[in-house]
Amino acid sequence: MNPYLEERIRELGFRITPQRQLILEAVAEAGEKARIEDIMERVQAKSSAISQATVYRTLEIFGAHNLIHVNVLDGQRVYEVAGENVHHHMICQSCWSDEKIPHKVVNEFVDNVQVKYGFLAQPHHLFLLGLCKHCQEEEDKKQISKEEEKRP
């Protein structure tokens, strides 16, 4: 298990049970956008004794205490193990590429929001959805092509 997470779990007063350890390992193995199906498959492969309810409860507890990040992507919850290096994601809704955004960049945005609106945002893990540079260029080409077809 990740030593950082192990320490955080103990700091929060939770025991590191074999089930919790297995679930965290399954989230880590499934990658940054792990779906519940991916996690369950990995957990069940290692221990069929762990129920789906236990997995859901554990993910909710870990998410509430920022041991894992929980986001919604394309209508589904996705999970990612929280690490020491805070980062955020820019996800293209066309090709689903995922580019990391350093926390420093998000902090600059948060500072601007606080100055302008008096709102103190506390982002732990953001998913910004949009179009990557490549897909924007492809969309522009399609638009130009459509406009050219309309010309006499």
Side-chain angles (χ1 to χ4, degrees):
M1 176 182 283
N2 177 325
Y4 168 76
L5 285 178
E6 190 172 328
E7 182 180 327
R8 288 269 301 125
I9 291 169
R10 291 186 199 287
E11 285 173 0
L12 291 166
F14 293 115
R15 290 185 319 115
I16 302 173
T17 65
Q19 294 89 346
R20 288 177 178 160
Q21 185 169 351
L22 194 65
I23 292 166
L24 266 179
E25 288 171 0
V27 174
E29 289 170 8
E32 291 186 339
K33 295 184 284 259
R35 298 171 306 131
I36 189 68
E37 296 85 3
D38 303 324
I39 297 165
M40 280 304 302
E41 184 178 309
R42 284 174 168 75
V43 168
Q44 291 293 304
K46 294 180 182 176
S47 174
S48 60
I50 300 175
S51 71
Q52 189 169 358
T54 298
V55 173
Y56 273 109
R57 259 194 326 272
T58 302
L59 292 174
E60 289 301 316
I61 290 167
F62 286 168
H65 295 304
N66 293 314
L67 296 168
I68 62 171
H69 299 298
V70 183
N71 287 293
V72 176
L73 184 61
D74 198 28
Q76 285 192 327
R77 281 182 172 217
V78 292
Y79 303 88
E80 176 182 349
V81 172
E84 293 176 78
N85 300 321
V86 178
H87 66 274
H88 309 279
H89 300 265
M90 291 184 294
I91 299 176
C92 179
Q93 291 178 290
S94 183
C95 70
W96 296 106
S97 64
D98 181 353
E99 189 172 331
K100 305 270 185 300
I101 308 169
H103 192 57
K104 177 185 174 197
V105 173
V106 172
N107 275 343
E108 291 170 7
F109 169 73
V110 167
D111 290 346
N112 288 334
V113 167
Q114 185 175 15
V115 168
K116 186 168 182 172
Y117 300 101
F119 181 81
L120 177 59
Q122 298 175 329
H124 296 287
H125 195 244
L126 296 178
F127 272 33
L128 297 177
L129 303 176
L131 292 176
C132 68
K133 186 176 183 176
H134 172 76
C135 289
Q136 287 178 55
E137 290 169 355
E138 292 300 312
E139 287 294 318
D140 289 346
K141 287 178 190 175
K142 287 179 189 175
Q143 187 64 33
I144 291 169
S145 182
K146 284 181 184 178
E147 289 173 8
E148 288 176 351
E149 288 175 4
K150 290 180 183 179
R151 291 185 187 153

